[in-house]
Amino acid sequence: MSFSSCCGKTDSRIAFTRTRTMYSRSRHVFAACVFLLAMQSLGSARAAGWRDDLPQAQLQGSAGLRWFGLKIYDAALWSAATPFDPTQPFALELTYRRSISRTRIVHTSMAEIRRLFGDRYSDEQLQRWEADMARAFIDVDEGDQLTGVYLPGFGCRFYSRSRLLAEVHDAEFARAFFAIWLDPRTKDAQLRNRLLGAEK
C-alpha cells in the first residue's frame, strides 16, 4: 500500500467522522429549537386570560363589597349579551382589596351555596365541589384578581390576572357558584343590582 493511498483513506475517514459529527449536532440543535418553540406555545396557552373565552364581552355593571365597613373586593360583571342573560357565557371579575386565604374563600363560597340551596345537593357532591374550589383558588393579596367564567353546558374556568388556574367540568357547580352573586336571594342585593346594571 502506497503512502498516498493510506493517507487518502485516512482523510476520507476524518471527513466522514466530521460530517457525521456535524449532522449529529445539527439534529440536536434542531430538536432543541423544536422543544423551545413547543414550550413557548404551551406557555402562551397557559398565559391566556379570560378574555380569550369572551372576546366580545362588555361591562354590564360593577360594585364593591364591604364587610363591617371594610372593603373586601371590587366586582365587575362582563358579558357579550346585552341586556344580561344568565344563560349565556359571562365573566365575574373580583379585584381584592384585602389579603384573604384560599381556605377562607372556599369556606365562604361553600357556606353561601349551602345557604342558597339547602339540601338540594348531596354531601358527596358538596365535598367534590369544595375540592374543586380548593384546587381552583389561590391566596390573594390586595390588588390580586380572580375571574370566574361561566360556560353553559360545560362548567366554568377560573383565572388569575396572568394565567388559567383551573377548569371545572360541572355545569351544575357553575350555576350554584355564580348564584352566590347573581341569585335574587344573594346576601347583597345592592351589589347584585349594580352588577346587573339595574342600579348605579
Side-chain angles (χ1 to χ4, degrees):
M1 180 185 292
S2 66
F3 176 78
S4 60
S5 63
C6 176
C7 290
K9 288 183 178 180
T10 302
D11 289 343
S12 297
R13 287 172 183 161
I14 292 172
F16 175 76
T17 301
R18 286 177 176 171
T19 301
R20 186 172 61 182
T21 302
M22 290 175 62
Y23 175 72
S24 178
R25 287 177 179 170
S26 297
R27 283 196 310 170
H28 288 307
V29 170
F30 177 75
C33 290
V34 170
F35 176 77
L36 287 172
L37 287 171
M39 291 304 294
Q40 287 177 349
S41 298
L42 182 59
S44 297
R46 287 180 176 174
W50 67 264
R51 289 180 182 276
D52 292 327
D53 290 329
L54 299 173
Q56 305 300 320
Q58 298 180 4
L59 181 65
Q60 303 294 309
S62 60
L65 177 70
R66 291 179 179 274
W67 186 73
F68 289 104
L70 299 175
K71 196 164 192 179
I72 307 302
Y73 57 69
D74 293 320
L77 182 64
W78 298 82
S79 175
T82 303
F84 177 72
D85 182 351
T87 67
Q88 297 300 310
F90 62 82
L92 181 67
E93 181 185 74
L94 304 182
T95 303
Y96 287 84
R97 299 307 176 195
R98 305 185 68 80
S99 296
I100 304 176
S101 70
R102 172 177 61 181
T103 301
R104 183 64 180 270
I105 296 172
V106 172
H107 175 77
T108 302
S109 299
M110 287 305 304
E112 281 303 288
I113 289 174
R114 286 189 171 95
R115 183 186 68 81
L116 287 168
F117 297 103
D119 297 330
R120 179 184 300 185
Y121 305 117
S122 68
D123 288 340
E124 181 182 359
Q125 192 169 19
L126 291 173
Q127 288 170 7
R128 186 171 65 250
W129 290 356
E130 186 170 4
D132 287 335
M133 285 191 281
R135 176 174 56 88
F137 300 154
I138 57 175
D139 297 335
V140 294
D141 294 318
E142 182 179 357
D144 285 347
Q145 196 171 80
L146 294 179
T147 302
V149 178
Y150 175 69
L151 301 168
F154 171 86
C156 53
R157 295 191 179 109
F158 294 100
Y159 294 86
S160 67
R161 283 189 188 274
S162 60
R163 65 189 178 94
L164 173 65
L165 297 173
E167 292 183 340
V168 180
H169 299 263
D170 187 330
E172 191 64 29
F173 164 76
R175 284 190 289 271
F177 177 78
F178 290 105
I180 294 171
W181 293 270
L182 301 178
D183 191 283
R185 298 167 296 160
T186 181
K187 273 190 174 180
D188 194 329
Q190 186 178 56
L191 183 143
R192 174 182 181 271
N193 290 338
R194 289 182 175 176
L195 287 176
L196 297 177
E199 188 177 315
K200 300 299 183 182

